[in-house]
Short mmCIF file of all heavy atoms in Angstrom, two decimals:
data_model
loop_
_atom_site.label_atom_id
_atom_site.label_comp_id
_atom_site.label_asym_id
_atom_site.label_seq_id
_atom_site.Cartn_x
_atom_site.Cartn_y
_atom_site.Cartn_z
N ASP A 29 5.69 -11.59 11.76
CA ASP A 29 4.47 -11.86 12.53
C ASP A 29 4.85 -12.21 13.97
O ASP A 29 6.04 -12.19 14.34
CB ASP A 29 3.64 -12.96 11.85
CG ASP A 29 4.33 -14.31 11.77
OD1 ASP A 29 5.33 -14.56 12.52
OD2 ASP A 29 3.88 -15.14 10.97
N ALA A 30 3.86 -12.52 14.78
CA ALA A 30 4.08 -12.79 16.20
C ALA A 30 4.94 -14.04 16.42
O ALA A 30 5.56 -14.18 17.47
CB ALA A 30 2.74 -12.95 16.92
N ASP A 31 4.99 -14.93 15.43
CA ASP A 31 5.81 -16.13 15.53
C ASP A 31 7.24 -15.90 15.06
O ASP A 31 8.05 -16.82 15.08
CB ASP A 31 5.19 -17.28 14.72
CG ASP A 31 3.84 -17.70 15.28
OD1 ASP A 31 3.66 -17.65 16.52
OD2 ASP A 31 2.97 -18.08 14.47
N GLY A 32 7.55 -14.71 14.57
CA GLY A 32 8.90 -14.39 14.13
C GLY A 32 9.16 -14.65 12.65
O GLY A 32 10.29 -14.47 12.20
N GLN A 33 8.15 -15.07 11.89
CA GLN A 33 8.32 -15.28 10.45
C GLN A 33 8.38 -13.93 9.75
O GLN A 33 7.48 -13.12 9.90
CB GLN A 33 7.18 -16.11 9.88
CG GLN A 33 7.18 -16.22 8.35
CD GLN A 33 8.43 -16.89 7.79
OE1 GLN A 33 8.72 -18.03 8.13
NE2 GLN A 33 9.17 -16.18 6.94
N TRP A 34 9.44 -13.71 8.98
CA TRP A 34 9.61 -12.47 8.22
C TRP A 34 8.93 -12.56 6.88
O TRP A 34 8.85 -13.64 6.28
CB TRP A 34 11.10 -12.16 8.03
CG TRP A 34 11.70 -11.57 9.26
CD1 TRP A 34 12.36 -12.24 10.26
CD2 TRP A 34 11.68 -10.21 9.64
NE1 TRP A 34 12.75 -11.36 11.24
CE2 TRP A 34 12.35 -10.11 10.88
CE3 TRP A 34 11.17 -9.04 9.06
CZ2 TRP A 34 12.52 -8.89 11.55
CZ3 TRP A 34 11.33 -7.84 9.72
CH2 TRP A 34 12.00 -7.78 10.94
N TYR A 35 8.46 -11.41 6.39
CA TYR A 35 7.82 -11.29 5.08
C TYR A 35 8.33 -10.04 4.38
O TYR A 35 8.64 -9.04 5.04
CB TYR A 35 6.30 -11.16 5.22
CG TYR A 35 5.65 -12.39 5.79
CD1 TYR A 35 5.49 -12.53 7.16
CD2 TYR A 35 5.22 -13.42 4.96
CE1 TYR A 35 4.92 -13.67 7.70
CE2 TYR A 35 4.64 -14.56 5.48
CZ TYR A 35 4.50 -14.68 6.85
OH TYR A 35 3.93 -15.81 7.38
N ARG A 36 8.38 -10.13 3.07
CA ARG A 36 8.56 -8.94 2.24
C ARG A 36 7.27 -8.79 1.45
O ARG A 36 6.85 -9.71 0.75
CB ARG A 36 9.74 -9.08 1.30
CG ARG A 36 9.99 -7.80 0.48
CD ARG A 36 11.28 -7.85 -0.33
NE ARG A 36 12.44 -8.01 0.54
CZ ARG A 36 13.29 -9.06 0.46
NH1 ARG A 36 13.13 -10.00 -0.44
NH2 ARG A 36 14.31 -9.12 1.29
N SER A 37 6.65 -7.65 1.57
CA SER A 37 5.40 -7.37 0.88
C SER A 37 5.70 -6.39 -0.25
O SER A 37 6.31 -5.35 -0.03
CB SER A 37 4.37 -6.77 1.84
OG SER A 37 4.12 -7.67 2.90
N HIS A 38 5.28 -6.76 -1.46
CA HIS A 38 5.51 -5.95 -2.66
C HIS A 38 4.17 -5.45 -3.16
O HIS A 38 3.17 -6.14 -3.05
CB HIS A 38 6.10 -6.80 -3.80
CG HIS A 38 7.36 -7.48 -3.46
ND1 HIS A 38 8.58 -6.95 -3.77
CD2 HIS A 38 7.60 -8.67 -2.84
CE1 HIS A 38 9.51 -7.78 -3.37
NE2 HIS A 38 8.95 -8.82 -2.81
N GLY A 39 4.18 -4.29 -3.79
CA GLY A 39 2.92 -3.85 -4.36
C GLY A 39 3.01 -2.54 -5.11
O GLY A 39 4.08 -1.95 -5.29
N ASN A 40 1.82 -2.13 -5.54
CA ASN A 40 1.63 -0.88 -6.26
C ASN A 40 0.46 -0.15 -5.63
O ASN A 40 -0.49 -0.77 -5.18
CB ASN A 40 1.31 -1.16 -7.74
CG ASN A 40 2.43 -1.91 -8.40
OD1 ASN A 40 3.52 -1.39 -8.56
ND2 ASN A 40 2.17 -3.15 -8.76
N GLU A 41 0.56 1.17 -5.64
CA GLU A 41 -0.53 2.01 -5.15
C GLU A 41 -0.85 3.06 -6.21
O GLU A 41 0.07 3.59 -6.85
CB GLU A 41 -0.15 2.75 -3.87
CG GLU A 41 0.04 1.85 -2.68
CD GLU A 41 0.48 2.63 -1.46
OE1 GLU A 41 1.15 3.69 -1.58
OE2 GLU A 41 0.16 2.18 -0.36
N ASN A 42 -2.12 3.33 -6.35
CA ASN A 42 -2.58 4.43 -7.19
C ASN A 42 -3.24 5.44 -6.28
O ASN A 42 -4.13 5.09 -5.51
CB ASN A 42 -3.57 3.93 -8.24
CG ASN A 42 -2.91 2.96 -9.20
OD1 ASN A 42 -1.83 3.23 -9.70
ND2 ASN A 42 -3.55 1.83 -9.43
N TRP A 43 -2.77 6.68 -6.35
CA TRP A 43 -3.26 7.75 -5.49
C TRP A 43 -3.93 8.83 -6.32
O TRP A 43 -3.41 9.22 -7.36
CB TRP A 43 -2.12 8.40 -4.73
CG TRP A 43 -1.28 7.53 -3.86
CD1 TRP A 43 -1.56 6.29 -3.37
CD2 TRP A 43 0.02 7.86 -3.37
NE1 TRP A 43 -0.53 5.84 -2.60
CE2 TRP A 43 0.46 6.78 -2.58
CE3 TRP A 43 0.85 8.97 -3.51
CZ2 TRP A 43 1.70 6.77 -1.94
CZ3 TRP A 43 2.07 8.97 -2.87
CH2 TRP A 43 2.49 7.88 -2.09
N GLU A 44 -5.04 9.36 -5.82
CA GLU A 44 -5.67 10.53 -6.42
C GLU A 44 -5.84 11.58 -5.33
O GLU A 44 -6.29 11.26 -4.23
CB GLU A 44 -7.04 10.18 -7.01
CG GLU A 44 -7.70 11.37 -7.67
CD GLU A 44 -9.06 11.01 -8.23
OE1 GLU A 44 -9.95 10.69 -7.40
OE2 GLU A 44 -9.22 11.06 -9.45
N PHE A 45 -5.49 12.83 -5.65
CA PHE A 45 -5.47 13.90 -4.66
C PHE A 45 -6.55 14.94 -4.91
O PHE A 45 -6.88 15.27 -6.04
CB PHE A 45 -4.10 14.59 -4.67
CG PHE A 45 -3.02 13.71 -4.14
CD1 PHE A 45 -2.36 12.84 -4.99
CD2 PHE A 45 -2.68 13.73 -2.81
CE1 PHE A 45 -1.37 11.99 -4.51
CE2 PHE A 45 -1.70 12.89 -2.32
CZ PHE A 45 -1.04 12.01 -3.17
N ALA A 46 -7.05 15.49 -3.82
CA ALA A 46 -7.94 16.65 -3.86
C ALA A 46 -7.09 17.89 -4.11
O ALA A 46 -5.87 17.86 -3.91
CB ALA A 46 -8.69 16.76 -2.53
N PRO A 47 -7.70 18.99 -4.52
CA PRO A 47 -6.94 20.22 -4.77
C PRO A 47 -6.12 20.72 -3.57
O PRO A 47 -5.11 21.39 -3.74
CB PRO A 47 -8.01 21.24 -5.15
CG PRO A 47 -9.12 20.42 -5.73
CD PRO A 47 -9.11 19.14 -4.91
N ASN A 48 -6.53 20.36 -2.34
CA ASN A 48 -5.81 20.80 -1.14
C ASN A 48 -4.61 19.92 -0.80
O ASN A 48 -3.96 20.13 0.21
CB ASN A 48 -6.76 20.90 0.05
CG ASN A 48 -7.33 19.56 0.46
OD1 ASN A 48 -7.09 18.54 -0.17
ND2 ASN A 48 -8.10 19.57 1.53
N GLY A 49 -4.31 18.90 -1.63
CA GLY A 49 -3.15 18.05 -1.41
C GLY A 49 -3.41 16.83 -0.58
O GLY A 49 -2.52 16.00 -0.39
N LEU A 50 -4.63 16.66 -0.06
CA LEU A 50 -4.97 15.45 0.68
C LEU A 50 -5.37 14.36 -0.30
O LEU A 50 -5.97 14.62 -1.35
CB LEU A 50 -6.11 15.71 1.67
CG LEU A 50 -5.79 16.69 2.80
CD1 LEU A 50 -7.04 16.93 3.65
CD2 LEU A 50 -4.65 16.18 3.65
N MET A 51 -5.05 13.12 0.04
CA MET A 51 -5.36 11.99 -0.83
C MET A 51 -6.83 11.60 -0.68
O MET A 51 -7.28 11.32 0.42
CB MET A 51 -4.46 10.81 -0.49
CG MET A 51 -4.42 9.74 -1.56
SD MET A 51 -3.36 8.33 -1.14
CE MET A 51 -1.79 9.12 -0.81
N ARG A 52 -7.55 11.60 -1.79
CA ARG A 52 -8.97 11.22 -1.72
C ARG A 52 -9.21 9.78 -2.12
O ARG A 52 -10.25 9.22 -1.79
CB ARG A 52 -9.83 12.19 -2.50
CG ARG A 52 -9.62 12.21 -3.98
CD ARG A 52 -10.63 13.14 -4.64
NE ARG A 52 -10.10 13.65 -5.88
CZ ARG A 52 -10.38 14.83 -6.37
NH1 ARG A 52 -11.19 15.65 -5.74
NH2 ARG A 52 -9.86 15.21 -7.50
N ARG A 53 -8.26 9.18 -2.83
CA ARG A 53 -8.39 7.76 -3.19
C ARG A 53 -7.02 7.10 -3.11
O ARG A 53 -6.03 7.67 -3.56
CB ARG A 53 -8.93 7.60 -4.60
CG ARG A 53 -10.37 7.99 -4.73
CD ARG A 53 -10.95 7.52 -6.07
NE ARG A 53 -12.32 7.97 -6.17
CZ ARG A 53 -12.70 9.05 -6.85
NH1 ARG A 53 -11.82 9.78 -7.50
NH2 ARG A 53 -13.96 9.39 -6.88
N ARG A 54 -7.01 5.88 -2.54
CA ARG A 54 -5.79 5.07 -2.46
C ARG A 54 -6.18 3.64 -2.77
O ARG A 54 -6.97 3.04 -2.05
CB ARG A 54 -5.17 5.15 -1.06
CG ARG A 54 -3.98 4.22 -0.89
CD ARG A 54 -3.53 4.19 0.58
NE ARG A 54 -2.50 3.20 0.77
CZ ARG A 54 -2.73 1.95 1.13
NH1 ARG A 54 -3.95 1.51 1.35
NH2 ARG A 54 -1.73 1.11 1.28
N TYR A 55 -5.62 3.11 -3.84
CA TYR A 55 -5.89 1.73 -4.24
C TYR A 55 -4.57 0.98 -4.21
O TYR A 55 -3.65 1.32 -4.96
CB TYR A 55 -6.52 1.67 -5.63
CG TYR A 55 -7.83 2.43 -5.70
CD1 TYR A 55 -7.98 3.51 -6.55
CD2 TYR A 55 -8.90 2.08 -4.89
CE1 TYR A 55 -9.17 4.22 -6.61
CE2 TYR A 55 -10.09 2.78 -4.94
CZ TYR A 55 -10.22 3.85 -5.80
OH TYR A 55 -11.40 4.55 -5.85
N ALA A 56 -4.46 -0.04 -3.34
CA ALA A 56 -3.22 -0.77 -3.16
C ALA A 56 -3.40 -2.25 -3.47
O ALA A 56 -4.35 -2.88 -3.00
CB ALA A 56 -2.71 -0.61 -1.73
N SER A 57 -2.49 -2.77 -4.27
CA SER A 57 -2.40 -4.21 -4.53
C SER A 57 -1.10 -4.69 -3.90
O SER A 57 -0.04 -4.09 -4.12
CB SER A 57 -2.37 -4.47 -6.04
OG SER A 57 -3.56 -4.01 -6.64
N VAL A 58 -1.19 -5.76 -3.11
CA VAL A 58 -0.05 -6.20 -2.31
C VAL A 58 0.08 -7.72 -2.37
O VAL A 58 -0.92 -8.44 -2.30
CB VAL A 58 -0.23 -5.78 -0.82
CG1 VAL A 58 1.03 -6.07 -0.02
CG2 VAL A 58 -0.64 -4.32 -0.69
N ASN A 59 1.32 -8.19 -2.46
CA ASN A 59 1.64 -9.62 -2.38
C ASN A 59 2.71 -9.81 -1.32
O ASN A 59 3.64 -9.01 -1.22
CB ASN A 59 2.18 -10.12 -3.73
CG ASN A 59 1.16 -10.00 -4.82
OD1 ASN A 59 0.11 -10.60 -4.76
ND2 ASN A 59 1.46 -9.18 -5.82
N ASP A 60 2.59 -10.88 -0.55
CA ASP A 60 3.54 -11.18 0.52
C ASP A 60 4.38 -12.40 0.14
O ASP A 60 3.86 -13.37 -0.40
CB ASP A 60 2.81 -11.51 1.82
CG ASP A 60 1.91 -10.39 2.29
OD1 ASP A 60 2.35 -9.23 2.24
OD2 ASP A 60 0.78 -10.67 2.69
N VAL A 61 5.68 -12.32 0.47
CA VAL A 61 6.59 -13.43 0.25
C VAL A 61 7.31 -13.70 1.56
O VAL A 61 7.89 -12.77 2.15
CB VAL A 61 7.63 -13.08 -0.85
CG1 VAL A 61 8.63 -14.20 -1.03
CG2 VAL A 61 6.95 -12.72 -2.16
#
């Protein structure tokens, strides 16, 4: 962050794609340490 505190963010994403290869849905769960 702007104060110089470092974080590691962990998570999972679920992606769903349209037939043309573009992502139509992205659901991300994230935790910061």
Side-chain angles (χ1 to χ4, degrees):
D29 63 18
D31 295 327
Q33 172 61 59
W34 282 94
Y35 295 90
R36 183 173 300 120
S37 301
H38 303 264
N40 300 293
E41 293 177 331
N42 296 313
W43 302 342
E44 181 181 65
F45 291 86
N48 64 356
L50 295 176
M51 196 180 305
R52 65 175 154 212
R53 290 192 182 99
R54 175 188 173 268
Y55 301 118
S57 298
V58 187
N59 297 298
D60 302 316
V61 177

